């Protein structure tokens, strides 16, 4: 598995959760896998027990050889290899600097990671049946296998699988980077790696991979239509049966309110007392009025257009004027949203708490201590936070798109069933009325609210089923390869 992120080593989003969990679930099914990651300077080698294993390793990029070192750690029985190359991975962030400016050499950095991962298989004598790439960062693996390694004794039989965690991030770079990638110029055509004069990593991966998937069935459907396809719908449709959606699982070993060590108190579906403690502590943490009876609406998110938090921002004043609610917000990203939500807490002391930043413990605290969790995404390939919220008995309020629609069952007011509240139109008033619906359920139909919590906590999105689906996809890729 070639990836730019993996929990617990490096994470900016859901990709890291998936790569941290899937290889372990595959192992449970009797398969052997290994993960290759960059050794970012932010990774704590001592704490995470990362040891050097191989140096130097030569990696051909274009007409030059780069020399790197390889390190290794054990992730619950899965070997994880780290490519050390100071020039590319000794940086402030994974993809961009502190001012959110993408690094200018990202095409080179991640093409290098990808080739280094393939080279490592050769140096270790590890003969994979499948090379599994994730997102644009390692998508070129499929192209390298087809263009260079088809007759290689180690890699020649490997089939390639590409998982798309977000179709909007395609890795588009100027043609001037192409020579460094080390692919042949006759691959730089509109039916392969070229798009509008630039290199498109993800498109190349889709074209060359033996099988492609994305992270929910609904997002797979949406991306095959022009509106959701981000320009790549024809290529996804071109894969036919070899493109589909496999819902992400959740790592319930890590995300379990009964054992989560980050929480001030633990709880399960049979005894929710600990959840009430989490709520009180969350109110203290954010300086909110301490009241068990006022519902808390939680948000944990990257602040980017995709997540639709501008819709929430547009309705916050009206929301706080007309409803007895509190808001607990954690996130970072676009400066406008950071300023808005930071300022909101100042304008509504005791009712709104905001923390700008990335904080694992606080994210779990909000997930446990809130009553509702808001995700008004414009699009959402799968979404993990709503799955975590379900397990923590916090009912999601979501826009019915992508994986959010697949994982949340709409509240049925007649029978008191469902696991959350969904709306369809991507606008602030639809969000406002849906929050109002959830809040009125909390105050006026408490028996329904309690029944929904039980139903939510009983949902099972564990990796076992998803990992078995991946094994089927791997078999399909192998069949397509031969
Ligand atoms: P995406 O990958 O698009 O960001 P997902 O819902 O798939 O969305 O995954 C987001 C992951 O990142 C979750 O594990 C979530 O808890 C975490 N996360 C996002 N923002 C923050 C933050 N500010 N602090 C801590 N965790 C965060």
């Amino acid at each position: 598995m070639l990836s730019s992120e993996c929990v617990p080593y490096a994470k900016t989003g859901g990709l890291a959760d998936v790569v941290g969990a899937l290889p372990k679930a595959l192992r449970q099914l009797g398969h052997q896998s290994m993960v290759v990651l960059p050794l970012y300077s932010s990774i704590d080698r001592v704490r995470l027990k990362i040891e050097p294993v191989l140096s130097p390793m030569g990696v051909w990029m274009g007409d030059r050889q780069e020399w790197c070192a390889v390190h290794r750690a054990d992730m619950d029985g899965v070997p994880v290899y780290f490519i050390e190359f100071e020039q590319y991975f000794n940086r402030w962030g994974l993809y961009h600097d502190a001012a959110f400016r993408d690094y200018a050499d990202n095409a080179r950095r991640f093409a290098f990671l990808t080739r280094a991962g393939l080279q490592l298989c050769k140096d270790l004598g590890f003969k994979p049946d499948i090379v599994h790439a994730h997102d644009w960062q390692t998508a070129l693996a499929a192209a390298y296998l087809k263009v260079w390694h088809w007759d290689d004794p180690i890699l020649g039989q490997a089939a390639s699988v590409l998982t798309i965690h977000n179709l909007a991030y395609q890795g588009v770079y100027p043609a001037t980077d192409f020579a460094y990638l080390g692919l042949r110029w006759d691959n730089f055509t509109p039916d392969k790696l070229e798009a509008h004069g630039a290199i498109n990593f993800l498109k190349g991966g889709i074209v060359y991979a033996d099988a492609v998937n994305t992270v929910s069935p609904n997002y797979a459907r949406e991306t095959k239509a022009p509106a959701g396809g981000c320009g790549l719908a024809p290529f996804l449709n071109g894969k036919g049966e070899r493109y589909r959606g496999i819902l992400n699982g959740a790592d319930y070993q890590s995300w379990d309110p009964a054992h989560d060590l980050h929480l001030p108190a633990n709880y399960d579906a049979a005894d929710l007392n600990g959840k009430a403690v989490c709520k009180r502590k969350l109110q203290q943490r954010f300086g909110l009025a301490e009241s068990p009876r006022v519902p808390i609406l939680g948000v944990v998110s990257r602040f980017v257009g995709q997540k639709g938090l501008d819709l929430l921002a547009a309705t916050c004043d009206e929301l706080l004027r007309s409803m007895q609610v509190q808001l607990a917000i954690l996130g970072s990203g676009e400066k406008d949203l950071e300023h808005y939500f930071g300022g909101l807490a100042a304008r509504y002391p005791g009712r709104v708490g905001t923390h700008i930043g990335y904080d694992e413990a606080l994210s779990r605290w909000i997930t446990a201590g809130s009553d509702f969790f808001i995700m008004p995404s414009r699009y959402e390939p799968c979404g993990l936070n709503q799955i975590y919220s379900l397990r923590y008995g916090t009912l999601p309020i979501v826009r019915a798109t992508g994986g959010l629609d697949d994982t949340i069952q709409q509240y049925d007011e007649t029978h008191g069933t469902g696991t959350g509240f969904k709306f369809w139109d991507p606008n602030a008033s639809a969000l406002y009325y849906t929050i109002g619906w959830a809040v009125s359920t909390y105050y006026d139909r408490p028996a329904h609210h309690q029944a929904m919590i039980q139903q939510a906590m009983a949902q099972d999105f564990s990796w076992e089923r998803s990992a078995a689906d991946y094994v089927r996809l791997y078999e399909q890729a192998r069949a397509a390869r031969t």
Side-chain angles (χ1 to χ4, degrees), residues 303 313 331-347 354 356:
F303 289 174
S332 64
E334 287 170 13
K335 295 297 157 209
D336 285 359
L337 286 169
E338 290 188 357
H339 289 146
Y340 179 80
F341 287 119
L344 193 71
R347 284 196 289 125
T354 300
I356 302 297

Side-chain angles (χ1 to χ4, degrees), residues 11-15 17 166 248 255 300-302 306-307 330-332 357-360 363 375 380-386 388:
K11 166 168 168 173
T12 69
L15 162 67
D17 293 288
N166 193 331
N248 281 341
W255 290 88
V300 178
S301 184
R302 293 183 294 127
Q306 174 201 341
K307 300 292 180 184
L330 166 65
S332 64
Y358 189 95
D359 187 327
E360 176 80 25
S363 81
M375 294 179 77
E380 193 60 75
C382 178
L384 289 169
N385 285 307
Q386 83 282 12
Y388 301 148

Side-chain angles (χ1 to χ4, degrees), residues 1-4 15 19 22 36 114 118 130-143 145 159-165 201-202 205-206 209 211-213 470 473-474:
M1 228 173 261
L2 307 177
S3 177
S4 58
L15 162 67
V19 179
L22 177 58
V36 180
T114 307
L118 295 175
I130 298 289
V131 171
H132 187 163
H134 293 269
D135 276 348
W136 70 264
Q137 288 89 333
T138 56
L140 289 186
L145 285 174
S160 54
V161 168
L162 169 67
T163 298
I164 300 170
H165 298 261
F201 277 48
L202 196 66
I206 293 168
V212 181
N213 79 300
Y470 272 100
L473 186 72
Y474 294 157

